[in-house]
Amino acid sequence: MTDNERNSTALAGRDNNGRFASGSGNIGRPKGSRNRVSQKAIQEIKSMSSDALRVLKENLNKNDTKAAIFILEKVLPNQRTVELDGADVGSIVSALIDGTVSPDEARTISMSIARLKEIDEMDALKERLAQIEALLKG
């Protein structure tokens, strides 16, 4: 492959300055949109009592950022909430491929589903054991 061919394939879909050309297919998130976690966080903060917000504002005016960090840690979830269409391997893989979830999130979801299946299996075994014991007691 020649240098000209490399440059032309590297610049495909870009304007003369090397920036992505409009209409290149990757429009991204609309300007001003927020993800669900941000929206929930804002709703949580808005639902706080006026006294709590007053105290937070007073502490921020005193340059006490620890108060803001404390409030935000209590209001915002540690990890984002992920919504999937299904709880099977296919839906997790699809979400991973299209970028809806990160590899770490996919692993966490998979492990959670595996644990839930183990719990269901244990419940079924307990039920069968109870039936067998009932039959043996006669």
Side-chain angles (χ1 to χ4, degrees):
M1 183 179 259
T2 66
D3 287 336
N4 287 338
E5 290 174 325
R6 274 191 215 109
N7 288 339
S8 66
T9 56
L11 295 177
R14 296 178 184 251
D15 64 12
N16 293 335
N17 295 323
R19 296 176 296 199
F20 284 108
S22 61
S24 63
N26 186 6
I27 58 172
R29 185 183 294 211
K31 287 185 179 183
S33 69
R34 297 184 180 128
N35 66 23
R36 285 182 223 130
V37 173
S38 298
Q39 290 173 349
K40 282 185 177 182
I42 290 170
Q43 289 172 355
E44 287 290 325
I45 291 170
K46 285 181 179 179
S47 71
M48 293 173 64
S49 72
S50 58
D51 292 337
L53 289 175
R54 182 183 46 78
V55 171
L56 177 61
K57 285 179 186 178
E58 288 172 4
N59 286 326
L60 287 174
N61 289 335
K62 296 177 190 174
N63 290 326
D64 183 8
T65 56
K66 290 181 183 178
I69 291 170
F70 176 78
I71 296 290
L72 293 175
E73 284 176 348
K74 299 301 177 192
V75 171
L76 297 176
N78 290 350
Q79 296 179 357
R80 70 185 186 115
T81 303
V82 177
E83 296 179 23
L84 297 176
D85 291 334
D88 59 349
V89 175
S91 62
I92 297 170
V93 171
S94 296
L96 179 62
I97 290 171
D98 69 18
T100 304
V101 297
S102 69
D104 286 337
E105 290 170 329
R107 183 173 15 89
T108 301
I109 293 167
S110 299
M111 289 173 31
S112 298
I113 291 172
R115 297 280 188 252
L116 290 171
K117 285 184 179 180
E118 288 174 5
I119 291 170
D120 283 346
E121 290 170 359
M122 289 298 290
D123 287 343
L125 287 174
K126 285 180 185 178
E127 207 172 293
R128 287 181 60 197
L129 182 60
Q131 290 173 354
I132 292 170
E133 288 175 343
L135 287 172
L136 289 174
K137 289 182 182 177

